Amino acid sequence: MNRSKIVLCILIFHSKNSFRGQMVSESQDIEQSEDQPALETIVSLAKRRGFVYPSAEIYGGFAASYDYGPLGVEIKRQIRDLWWQSMVREREDIVGIEAAIITNPRVWEASGHLDVFSDPLIDCLKCNARIRADHLEDNQCPECGAEDQFTEAREFNLMLSTQVGPVEDDSATAYLRPETAQGMFINFENVQTTTRKRLPFGIAQIGKSFRNEITTKQFIFRTREFEQMEMEFFCRPEESLEWHAYWKKERLRWYYRLGIRSENLRMRDHDAEELSHYSSGTSDIEVRYRWGWGELEGIAHRGDYDLSQHSAHSGKKLTYFDPDTNEHIVPHVIEPAAGVDRILLTLLIDAYHEETTANGETRTVLKLAPEVAPAEVAILPLSRNEKLVPTAKKIHDLIRPYFRSQYDDAQSIGRRYRRQDEIGTPLAVTVDFDTLDDDAVTIRDRDTMEQIRVPVNKINESITNRLDELTPHIPEMDEINV
Ligand code: GAP
Protein backbone atom coordinates (compact mmCIF):
# COMPACT_ATOMS: atom_id res chain seq x y z
CA MET A 1 0.00 0.00 0.00
CA ASN A 2 1.11 3.51 -0.80
CA ARG A 3 1.57 5.05 2.55
CA SER A 4 1.79 8.70 3.24
CA LYS A 5 3.87 9.63 6.22
CA ILE A 6 1.56 11.49 8.46
CA VAL A 7 2.68 11.42 12.01
CA LEU A 8 -0.20 11.97 14.34
CA CYS A 9 0.97 13.01 17.72
CA ILE A 10 -2.06 12.31 19.81
CA LEU A 11 -2.25 14.71 22.67
CA ILE A 12 -2.76 13.40 26.12
CA PHE A 13 -5.59 15.81 26.75
CA HIS A 14 -8.00 16.34 23.91
CA SER A 15 -9.71 19.65 24.12
CA LYS A 16 -12.81 18.33 22.27
CA ASN A 17 -13.96 15.66 24.61
CA SER A 18 -14.10 14.59 28.15
CA PHE A 19 -12.09 11.47 27.56
CA ARG A 20 -9.18 12.57 29.68
CA GLY A 21 -7.20 10.93 32.28
CA GLN A 22 -4.77 8.26 33.07
CA MET A 23 -2.36 7.40 30.24
CA VAL A 24 -1.20 3.89 29.67
CA SER A 25 1.67 2.10 28.14
CA GLU A 26 0.41 1.88 24.52
CA SER A 27 2.41 4.03 22.15
CA GLN A 28 0.64 7.24 21.18
CA ASP A 29 2.81 8.29 18.22
CA ILE A 30 1.24 6.83 15.14
CA GLU A 31 1.91 7.02 11.45
CA GLN A 32 -1.26 6.69 9.49
CA SER A 33 -2.03 5.49 5.98
CA GLU A 34 -4.34 7.80 4.07
CA ASP A 35 -5.07 5.56 1.14
CA GLN A 36 -7.85 3.07 0.77
CA PRO A 37 -6.86 -0.52 1.42
CA ALA A 38 -6.57 -2.98 -1.47
CA LEU A 39 -9.76 -5.02 -1.85
CA GLU A 40 -7.78 -8.21 -1.04
CA THR A 41 -6.90 -6.68 2.34
CA ILE A 42 -10.59 -6.25 3.13
CA VAL A 43 -11.48 -9.72 1.81
CA SER A 44 -8.81 -11.25 4.01
CA LEU A 45 -9.80 -9.25 7.11
CA ALA A 46 -13.45 -10.13 6.49
CA LYS A 47 -12.66 -13.84 6.48
CA ARG A 48 -10.06 -13.81 9.27
CA ARG A 49 -12.27 -11.98 11.72
CA GLY A 50 -15.65 -13.43 10.76
CA PHE A 51 -17.38 -10.70 8.78
CA VAL A 52 -17.81 -12.48 5.44
CA TYR A 53 -16.82 -15.99 4.29
CA PRO A 54 -16.83 -17.42 0.76
CA SER A 55 -20.00 -19.53 0.55
CA ALA A 56 -19.67 -23.34 0.60
CA GLU A 57 -15.92 -23.01 1.02
CA ILE A 58 -15.50 -26.66 1.99
CA TYR A 59 -16.82 -27.55 -1.50
CA GLY A 60 -14.54 -25.10 -3.25
CA GLY A 61 -16.93 -22.14 -2.93
CA PHE A 62 -19.61 -20.96 -5.35
CA ALA A 63 -19.06 -18.03 -7.68
CA ALA A 64 -20.04 -14.67 -6.19
CA SER A 65 -21.80 -16.22 -3.19
CA TYR A 66 -20.88 -15.24 0.33
CA ASP A 67 -21.93 -16.15 3.84
CA TYR A 68 -21.91 -13.63 6.64
CA GLY A 69 -20.13 -14.53 9.87
CA PRO A 70 -20.84 -13.46 13.46
CA LEU A 71 -19.48 -9.92 13.00
CA GLY A 72 -20.93 -9.45 9.51
CA VAL A 73 -24.46 -10.25 10.68
CA GLU A 74 -24.17 -7.74 13.51
CA ILE A 75 -23.22 -4.95 11.09
CA LYS A 76 -25.92 -5.95 8.62
CA ARG A 77 -28.50 -5.92 11.40
CA GLN A 78 -27.37 -2.45 12.43
CA ILE A 79 -27.56 -1.18 8.83
CA ARG A 80 -31.09 -2.53 8.45
CA ASP A 81 -32.20 -1.22 11.83
CA LEU A 82 -30.80 2.27 11.19
CA TRP A 83 -32.50 2.39 7.82
CA TRP A 84 -35.82 1.16 9.24
CA GLN A 85 -35.50 3.61 12.11
CA SER A 86 -34.99 6.61 9.86
CA MET A 87 -37.34 5.54 7.03
CA VAL A 88 -40.26 4.05 8.98
CA ARG A 89 -40.19 4.42 12.75
CA GLU A 90 -39.16 8.07 12.91
CA ARG A 91 -41.75 9.12 10.32
CA GLU A 92 -45.50 9.45 10.15
CA ASP A 93 -45.68 9.14 6.37
CA ILE A 94 -44.00 5.77 5.68
CA VAL A 95 -45.11 2.24 6.57
CA GLY A 96 -43.39 -1.10 6.04
CA ILE A 97 -44.28 -4.39 4.36
CA GLU A 98 -42.65 -7.73 3.59
CA ALA A 99 -43.71 -9.19 0.27
CA ALA A 100 -43.02 -12.65 -1.16
CA ILE A 101 -39.74 -13.28 -2.97
CA ILE A 102 -41.42 -15.68 -5.41
CA THR A 103 -44.71 -14.32 -6.68
CA ASN A 104 -47.05 -14.43 -9.67
CA PRO A 105 -44.87 -14.20 -12.84
CA ARG A 106 -47.36 -11.73 -14.30
CA VAL A 107 -45.89 -9.16 -11.92
CA TRP A 108 -42.65 -9.33 -13.91
CA GLU A 109 -44.46 -9.12 -17.23
CA ALA A 110 -46.20 -5.95 -16.06
CA SER A 111 -43.11 -4.41 -14.51
CA GLY A 112 -41.19 -4.90 -17.76
CA HIS A 113 -38.50 -7.04 -16.17
CA LEU A 114 -39.18 -10.10 -18.35
CA ASP A 115 -38.82 -8.00 -21.49
CA VAL A 116 -36.13 -5.48 -20.81
CA PHE A 117 -34.26 -6.24 -17.58
CA SER A 118 -31.08 -7.25 -19.34
CA ASP A 119 -27.43 -6.38 -19.80
CA PRO A 120 -25.53 -6.40 -23.13
CA LEU A 121 -23.40 -9.54 -23.23
CA ILE A 122 -20.39 -10.25 -25.48
CA ASP A 123 -18.02 -13.23 -25.72
CA CYS A 124 -14.28 -12.92 -26.19
CA LEU A 125 -13.41 -14.81 -29.40
CA LYS A 126 -9.97 -15.69 -28.01
CA CYS A 127 -10.67 -17.00 -24.49
CA ASN A 128 -14.49 -17.35 -24.57
CA ALA A 129 -14.89 -15.13 -21.50
CA ARG A 130 -18.41 -13.66 -21.16
CA ILE A 131 -18.29 -9.95 -20.48
CA ARG A 132 -20.75 -7.11 -20.02
CA ALA A 133 -20.26 -4.93 -23.09
CA ASP A 134 -20.80 -1.78 -21.04
CA HIS A 135 -18.02 -2.83 -18.64
CA LEU A 136 -15.39 -3.13 -21.38
CA GLU A 137 -12.41 -0.80 -21.07
CA ASP A 138 -10.28 0.17 -24.10
CA ASN A 139 -11.96 -2.62 -26.08
CA GLN A 140 -9.79 -5.14 -24.25
CA CYS A 141 -10.83 -8.47 -22.80
CA PRO A 142 -10.36 -8.25 -19.02
CA GLU A 143 -9.43 -11.97 -18.92
CA CYS A 144 -6.87 -12.41 -21.73
CA GLY A 145 -6.21 -8.86 -22.92
CA ALA A 146 -7.30 -9.56 -26.53
CA GLU A 147 -8.32 -6.38 -28.33
CA ASP A 148 -11.41 -5.95 -30.51
CA GLN A 149 -12.10 -9.68 -30.69
CA PHE A 150 -15.67 -9.99 -29.53
CA THR A 151 -19.00 -11.36 -30.72
CA GLU A 152 -21.83 -8.93 -31.41
CA ALA A 153 -23.56 -7.77 -28.21
CA ARG A 154 -26.77 -9.61 -27.33
CA GLU A 155 -29.20 -8.86 -24.52
CA PHE A 156 -28.95 -11.20 -21.54
CA ASN A 157 -31.95 -11.24 -19.17
CA LEU A 158 -30.94 -11.00 -15.51
CA MET A 159 -34.00 -12.71 -14.02
CA LEU A 160 -33.31 -15.94 -12.13
CA SER A 161 -36.04 -18.48 -12.73
CA THR A 162 -37.24 -21.50 -10.81
CA GLN A 163 -40.02 -24.10 -11.06
CA VAL A 164 -42.87 -24.16 -8.58
CA GLY A 165 -45.04 -27.20 -7.88
CA PRO A 166 -44.60 -30.85 -8.90
CA VAL A 167 -44.90 -30.43 -12.69
CA GLU A 168 -41.94 -28.99 -14.51
CA ASP A 169 -43.35 -27.23 -17.54
CA ASP A 170 -43.51 -23.63 -18.71
CA SER A 171 -46.60 -22.92 -16.66
CA ALA A 172 -44.61 -23.75 -13.49
CA THR A 173 -41.89 -21.21 -14.22
CA ALA A 174 -41.60 -18.49 -11.60
CA TYR A 175 -38.91 -15.95 -10.83
CA LEU A 176 -36.89 -14.84 -7.86
CA ARG A 177 -37.60 -11.12 -7.52
CA PRO A 178 -34.89 -8.90 -9.03
CA GLU A 179 -35.95 -5.93 -6.86
CA THR A 180 -38.11 -5.58 -3.77
CA ALA A 181 -39.89 -2.55 -5.26
CA GLN A 182 -42.67 -4.44 -7.07
CA GLY A 183 -43.93 -5.75 -3.73
CA MET A 184 -44.84 -2.17 -2.84
CA PHE A 185 -46.61 -1.43 -6.13
CA ILE A 186 -48.72 -4.59 -6.14
CA ASN A 187 -49.74 -3.85 -2.53
CA PHE A 188 -50.41 -0.16 -3.10
CA GLU A 189 -54.17 -0.59 -2.81
CA ASN A 190 -53.97 -2.96 0.19
CA VAL A 191 -51.73 -0.63 2.14
CA GLN A 192 -53.70 2.45 1.22
CA THR A 193 -56.97 0.81 2.26
CA THR A 194 -55.68 -0.60 5.54
CA THR A 195 -53.67 2.44 6.67
CA ARG A 196 -55.86 5.20 5.20
CA LYS A 197 -52.70 7.12 4.36
CA ARG A 198 -53.11 10.28 2.34
CA LEU A 199 -50.63 11.48 -0.25
CA PRO A 200 -47.75 11.85 0.07
CA PHE A 201 -46.87 8.56 1.73
CA GLY A 202 -44.32 5.81 1.34
CA ILE A 203 -44.11 2.02 1.59
CA ALA A 204 -40.78 0.53 2.64
CA GLN A 205 -39.33 -2.96 2.51
CA ILE A 206 -36.06 -4.74 3.30
CA GLY A 207 -35.36 -8.09 1.72
CA LYS A 208 -33.36 -10.30 -0.60
CA SER A 209 -33.28 -9.79 -4.35
CA PHE A 210 -31.68 -11.93 -7.04
CA ARG A 211 -30.09 -11.17 -10.40
CA ASN A 212 -28.17 -13.42 -12.72
CA GLU A 213 -25.35 -10.89 -12.98
CA ILE A 214 -22.82 -11.45 -15.76
CA THR A 215 -19.96 -9.76 -13.96
CA THR A 216 -19.70 -10.41 -10.25
CA LYS A 217 -16.46 -8.75 -9.31
CA GLN A 218 -15.35 -6.74 -6.30
CA PHE A 219 -16.30 -9.15 -3.52
CA ILE A 220 -19.82 -8.36 -2.19
CA PHE A 221 -20.21 -5.22 -4.33
CA ARG A 222 -22.11 -7.12 -7.02
CA THR A 223 -23.46 -10.58 -6.30
CA ARG A 224 -26.35 -12.68 -7.59
CA GLU A 225 -28.12 -12.80 -4.23
CA PHE A 226 -28.19 -9.55 -2.28
CA GLU A 227 -30.32 -7.57 0.10
CA GLN A 228 -32.12 -4.36 -0.76
CA MET A 229 -33.70 -1.60 1.34
CA GLU A 230 -36.22 0.20 -0.86
CA MET A 231 -38.95 2.73 -0.31
CA GLU A 232 -41.60 3.83 -2.80
CA PHE A 233 -42.80 7.33 -2.00
CA PHE A 234 -46.17 8.09 -3.64
CA CYS A 235 -46.93 11.75 -4.25
CA ARG A 236 -48.94 14.10 -6.42
CA PRO A 237 -47.34 14.39 -9.91
CA GLU A 238 -46.85 18.14 -9.62
CA GLU A 239 -44.93 17.69 -6.33
CA SER A 240 -42.72 14.85 -7.54
CA LEU A 241 -39.66 16.91 -8.53
CA GLU A 242 -39.64 18.58 -5.15
CA TRP A 243 -39.83 15.19 -3.43
CA HIS A 244 -37.04 13.84 -5.61
CA ALA A 245 -34.83 16.72 -4.47
CA TYR A 246 -35.88 16.11 -0.85
CA TRP A 247 -35.01 12.40 -0.92
CA LYS A 248 -31.61 13.06 -2.51
CA LYS A 249 -30.67 15.18 0.49
CA GLU A 250 -32.31 13.01 3.10
CA ARG A 251 -30.59 9.87 1.89
CA LEU A 252 -27.18 11.52 1.75
CA ARG A 253 -27.67 12.62 5.34
CA TRP A 254 -28.23 9.01 6.32
CA TYR A 255 -24.81 8.00 4.96
CA TYR A 256 -23.21 10.76 7.02
CA ARG A 257 -24.95 9.23 10.01
CA LEU A 258 -23.20 5.92 9.21
CA GLY A 259 -19.90 7.79 9.39
CA ILE A 260 -18.85 7.37 5.74
CA ARG A 261 -16.37 10.14 5.02
CA SER A 262 -17.95 12.95 3.02
CA GLU A 263 -15.00 13.14 0.60
CA ASN A 264 -15.80 9.56 -0.43
CA LEU A 265 -19.44 10.31 -1.25
CA ARG A 266 -21.02 12.17 -4.13
CA MET A 267 -24.37 12.56 -5.90
CA ARG A 268 -24.46 11.94 -9.65
CA ASP A 269 -27.41 12.41 -11.99
CA HIS A 270 -27.87 9.72 -14.67
CA ASP A 271 -27.59 10.63 -18.34
CA ALA A 272 -30.73 9.92 -20.36
CA GLU A 273 -29.20 6.78 -21.95
CA GLU A 274 -28.32 5.29 -18.55
CA LEU A 275 -31.86 5.40 -17.18
CA SER A 276 -33.62 2.15 -16.29
CA HIS A 277 -36.74 1.28 -18.27
CA TYR A 278 -39.02 2.61 -15.50
CA SER A 279 -37.17 5.80 -14.67
CA SER A 280 -37.71 9.34 -15.82
CA GLY A 281 -34.76 10.60 -13.78
CA THR A 282 -32.30 8.93 -11.40
CA SER A 283 -29.56 10.24 -9.18
CA ASP A 284 -27.03 7.91 -7.61
CA ILE A 285 -25.26 8.32 -4.32
CA GLU A 286 -21.81 7.12 -5.29
CA VAL A 287 -18.77 6.07 -3.30
CA ARG A 288 -15.14 6.54 -4.24
CA TYR A 289 -13.57 3.08 -4.34
CA ARG A 290 -10.05 2.21 -5.44
CA TRP A 291 -11.52 1.00 -8.73
CA GLY A 292 -13.44 4.24 -9.28
CA TRP A 293 -16.76 5.76 -8.25
CA GLY A 294 -19.52 3.19 -7.79
CA GLU A 295 -23.24 3.28 -7.04
CA LEU A 296 -24.25 2.85 -3.43
CA GLU A 297 -27.88 3.88 -3.76
CA GLY A 298 -30.16 4.99 -6.58
CA ILE A 299 -32.84 7.63 -6.08
CA ALA A 300 -35.19 7.22 -9.02
CA HIS A 301 -38.17 9.17 -10.24
CA ARG A 302 -40.38 6.30 -11.43
CA GLY A 303 -43.27 8.55 -12.46
CA ASP A 304 -46.54 6.60 -12.74
CA TYR A 305 -44.86 3.80 -14.72
CA ASP A 306 -45.37 0.95 -12.24
CA LEU A 307 -48.89 1.71 -11.01
CA SER A 308 -50.05 2.24 -14.60
CA GLN A 309 -48.44 -0.98 -15.80
CA HIS A 310 -49.94 -3.06 -12.99
CA SER A 311 -53.27 -1.42 -13.53
CA ALA A 312 -53.21 -2.26 -17.22
CA HIS A 313 -52.04 -5.87 -16.68
CA SER A 314 -54.23 -6.74 -13.68
CA GLY A 315 -57.34 -4.84 -14.72
CA LYS A 316 -57.47 -3.28 -11.22
CA LYS A 317 -57.68 0.46 -10.86
CA LEU A 318 -54.60 1.58 -8.94
CA THR A 319 -55.45 5.18 -8.32
CA TYR A 320 -55.71 7.48 -5.34
CA PHE A 321 -58.89 9.32 -4.55
CA ASP A 322 -58.13 12.80 -3.31
CA PRO A 323 -60.94 13.82 -0.93
CA ASP A 324 -59.94 17.50 -1.14
CA THR A 325 -60.25 17.78 -4.91
CA ASN A 326 -62.66 14.88 -5.50
CA GLU A 327 -60.42 13.46 -8.25
CA HIS A 328 -58.78 10.10 -8.89
CA ILE A 329 -55.10 10.40 -9.72
CA VAL A 330 -52.24 8.01 -10.42
CA PRO A 331 -49.56 9.06 -7.97
CA HIS A 332 -45.98 9.51 -9.07
CA VAL A 333 -43.23 7.66 -7.24
CA ILE A 334 -39.81 8.59 -5.89
CA GLU A 335 -37.73 5.57 -4.95
CA PRO A 336 -34.59 5.55 -2.80
CA ALA A 337 -33.09 2.05 -3.29
CA ALA A 338 -30.01 0.88 -1.40
CA GLY A 339 -28.10 -2.40 -1.00
CA VAL A 340 -27.21 -3.73 2.45
CA ASP A 341 -24.22 -5.77 1.27
CA ARG A 342 -22.75 -2.87 -0.67
CA ILE A 343 -23.11 -0.58 2.34
CA LEU A 344 -21.33 -3.14 4.51
CA LEU A 345 -18.45 -3.36 2.02
CA THR A 346 -18.27 0.44 1.88
CA LEU A 347 -18.16 0.73 5.65
CA LEU A 348 -15.29 -1.76 5.90
CA ILE A 349 -13.28 0.01 3.21
CA ASP A 350 -14.00 3.51 4.47
CA ALA A 351 -13.22 2.67 8.10
CA TYR A 352 -10.03 0.71 7.44
CA HIS A 353 -6.85 2.33 8.72
CA GLU A 354 -3.34 1.05 9.17
CA GLU A 355 -1.10 2.89 11.58
CA THR A 356 2.48 2.36 12.57
CA THR A 357 3.00 2.87 16.27
CA ALA A 358 6.21 4.43 17.65
CA ASN A 359 7.61 1.00 18.39
CA GLY A 360 7.22 0.03 14.75
CA GLU A 361 4.16 -2.19 15.08
CA THR A 362 1.37 -2.02 12.53
CA ARG A 363 -1.98 -1.37 14.13
CA THR A 364 -5.04 -2.09 12.00
CA VAL A 365 -8.07 -0.13 13.12
CA LEU A 366 -11.60 -0.11 11.75
CA LYS A 367 -12.78 3.36 12.65
CA LEU A 368 -16.44 2.46 12.43
CA ALA A 369 -19.05 4.78 13.89
CA PRO A 370 -20.42 3.19 17.09
CA GLU A 371 -23.85 2.60 15.54
CA VAL A 372 -22.41 0.35 12.82
CA ALA A 373 -19.65 -1.35 14.79
CA PRO A 374 -20.35 -5.07 15.40
CA ALA A 375 -19.75 -4.47 19.12
CA GLU A 376 -19.77 -1.15 20.95
CA VAL A 377 -17.74 -2.32 23.89
CA ALA A 378 -15.46 -5.22 24.79
CA ILE A 379 -14.99 -6.50 28.34
CA LEU A 380 -11.44 -7.67 28.87
CA PRO A 381 -10.19 -9.07 32.17
CA LEU A 382 -6.45 -8.49 32.41
CA SER A 383 -5.95 -12.25 32.56
CA ARG A 384 -7.88 -15.44 33.22
CA ASN A 385 -7.04 -15.15 36.90
CA GLU A 386 -9.69 -16.85 39.02
CA LYS A 387 -10.36 -13.67 40.99
CA LEU A 388 -10.64 -11.39 37.96
CA VAL A 389 -12.90 -13.52 35.79
CA PRO A 390 -16.02 -13.53 38.05
CA THR A 391 -15.69 -9.76 38.59
CA ALA A 392 -15.30 -9.18 34.86
CA LYS A 393 -18.35 -11.34 34.11
CA LYS A 394 -20.42 -9.43 36.67
CA ILE A 395 -19.39 -6.15 35.03
CA HIS A 396 -20.28 -7.61 31.66
CA ASP A 397 -23.73 -8.43 33.04
CA LEU A 398 -24.14 -4.76 33.98
CA ILE A 399 -23.23 -3.61 30.47
CA ARG A 400 -24.79 -6.31 28.31
CA PRO A 401 -28.44 -5.18 28.46
CA TYR A 402 -27.57 -1.71 27.17
CA PHE A 403 -24.74 -2.13 24.66
CA ARG A 404 -23.67 -4.56 21.98
CA SER A 405 -20.78 -6.18 23.80
CA GLN A 406 -18.16 -8.89 23.57
CA TYR A 407 -16.35 -10.69 26.37
CA ASP A 408 -12.82 -11.77 25.56
CA ASP A 409 -10.22 -13.31 27.86
CA ALA A 410 -8.07 -15.26 25.40
CA GLN A 411 -4.39 -14.28 24.94
CA SER A 412 -2.51 -11.23 26.19
CA ILE A 413 -4.29 -7.96 26.81
CA GLY A 414 -2.21 -6.25 24.09
CA ARG A 415 -3.33 -8.80 21.49
CA ARG A 416 -6.93 -8.44 22.61
CA TYR A 417 -6.76 -4.66 22.20
CA ARG A 418 -5.45 -5.20 18.66
CA ARG A 419 -8.19 -7.70 17.90
CA GLN A 420 -10.86 -5.27 19.06
CA ASP A 421 -9.23 -2.44 17.06
CA GLU A 422 -9.31 -4.62 13.97
CA ILE A 423 -13.02 -5.38 14.29
CA GLY A 424 -13.88 -1.76 15.08
CA THR A 425 -15.00 -1.95 18.74
CA PRO A 426 -14.92 1.69 19.90
CA LEU A 427 -14.37 1.01 23.62
CA ALA A 428 -12.68 -1.66 25.72
CA VAL A 429 -13.30 -2.05 29.44
CA THR A 430 -10.34 -3.60 31.23
CA VAL A 431 -10.84 -5.29 34.57
CA ASP A 432 -7.55 -5.47 36.47
CA PHE A 433 -6.36 -6.30 39.99
CA ASP A 434 -6.99 -2.73 41.16
CA THR A 435 -10.66 -3.25 40.28
CA LEU A 436 -10.92 -5.74 43.12
CA ASP A 437 -9.91 -2.96 45.56
CA ASP A 438 -11.17 0.31 44.09
CA ASP A 439 -14.26 -0.95 42.23
CA ALA A 440 -13.17 0.96 39.13
CA VAL A 441 -12.28 -0.13 35.60
CA THR A 442 -10.26 1.29 32.74
CA ILE A 443 -12.03 2.30 29.54
CA ARG A 444 -9.78 2.36 26.49
CA ASP A 445 -10.60 4.35 23.39
CA ARG A 446 -10.07 2.55 20.06
CA ASP A 447 -9.00 5.58 18.04
CA THR A 448 -6.78 7.46 20.48
CA MET A 449 -5.78 4.49 22.66
CA GLU A 450 -6.27 6.77 25.64
CA GLN A 451 -7.53 5.24 28.83
CA ILE A 452 -9.54 6.58 31.72
CA ARG A 453 -10.46 5.08 35.02
CA VAL A 454 -14.14 5.10 35.94
CA PRO A 455 -16.04 3.71 38.93
CA VAL A 456 -18.00 0.56 38.16
CA ASN A 457 -21.22 2.21 39.35
CA LYS A 458 -20.80 4.87 36.63
CA ILE A 459 -19.76 2.51 33.87
CA ASN A 460 -22.87 2.64 31.69
CA GLU A 461 -23.03 6.41 31.92
CA SER A 462 -19.35 6.73 30.96
CA ILE A 463 -19.77 4.37 27.99
CA THR A 464 -22.88 6.24 26.81
CA ASN A 465 -21.11 9.59 26.99
CA ARG A 466 -18.09 8.41 25.07
CA LEU A 467 -20.13 6.64 22.39
CA ASP A 468 -22.15 9.83 21.95
CA GLU A 469 -18.95 11.79 21.40
CA LEU A 470 -17.83 9.27 18.77
CA THR A 471 -21.15 9.32 16.91
CA PRO A 472 -20.95 11.36 13.71
CA HIS A 473 -22.71 14.69 13.50
CA ILE A 474 -25.66 14.50 11.11
CA PRO A 475 -25.94 17.69 9.07
CA GLU A 476 -29.29 19.47 8.82
CA MET A 477 -31.10 19.29 5.47
CA ASP A 478 -30.12 22.86 4.56
CA GLU A 479 -26.46 22.04 5.17
CA ILE A 480 -26.53 19.39 2.41
CA ASN A 481 -25.47 20.55 -0.99
CA VAL A 482 -26.43 18.24 -3.87
N1 GAP B 1 -35.72 -0.87 -7.49
C1 GAP B 1 -34.63 -0.16 -8.04
C2 GAP B 1 -33.41 -0.92 -8.08
O1 GAP B 1 -33.40 -2.11 -7.82
P1 GAP B 1 -30.86 -0.74 -8.54
O2 GAP B 1 -30.00 0.48 -8.75
O3 GAP B 1 -30.79 -1.81 -9.57
O4 GAP B 1 -32.32 -0.18 -8.38
C3 GAP B 1 -30.58 -0.59 -5.96
O5 GAP B 1 -30.52 -1.36 -7.13
C4 GAP B 1 -29.39 -0.90 -5.08
O6 GAP B 1 -29.32 -2.31 -4.82
C5 GAP B 1 -28.04 -0.56 -5.70
O7 GAP B 1 -27.71 0.80 -5.50
C6 GAP B 1 -27.10 -1.48 -4.93
O8 GAP B 1 -26.75 -0.93 -3.67
C7 GAP B 1 -27.96 -2.70 -4.71
N2 GAP B 1 -27.66 -3.73 -5.74
C8 GAP B 1 -28.18 -3.80 -6.99
N3 GAP B 1 -27.68 -4.87 -7.65
C9 GAP B 1 -26.83 -5.47 -6.79
C10 GAP B 1 -26.01 -6.63 -6.87
N4 GAP B 1 -25.99 -7.41 -7.95
N5 GAP B 1 -25.24 -6.96 -5.79
C11 GAP B 1 -25.27 -6.20 -4.67
N6 GAP B 1 -26.03 -5.10 -4.53
C12 GAP B 1 -26.81 -4.74 -5.57
Side-chain angles (χ1 to χ4, degrees), residues 318-335:
L318 296 178
T319 52
Y320 170 85
F321 176 69
D322 189 330
D324 296 332
T325 59
N326 267 348
E327 49 171 359
H328 289 271
I329 58 166
V330 184
H332 277 203
V333 173
I334 307 300
E335 173 199 68

Side-chain angles (χ1 to χ4, degrees), residues 113 117 178-182 185 209-213 215-216 219-230 232 255 270 276 278 282 284-285 295-300 302 335-343:
H113 283 86
F117 192 55
E179 61 172 11
T180 59
Q182 296 305 321
F185 299 122
S209 293
F210 302 83
R211 296 179 190 175
N212 197 6
E213 300 279 4
T215 322
T216 53
F219 193 30
I220 51 173
F221 182 83
R222 182 175 289 107
T223 49
R224 298 197 173 99
E225 170 181 342
F226 55 98
E227 196 168 1
Q228 289 188 309
M229 305 187 291
E230 299 196 288
E232 310 304 320
Y255 289 102
H270 279 209
S276 312
Y278 51 73
T282 295
D284 284 346
I285 297 178
E295 174 190 336
L296 187 58
E297 165 159 351
I299 301 151
R302 294 182 78 127
E335 173 199 68
V340 179
D341 314 78
R342 210 172 271 189
I343 295 173

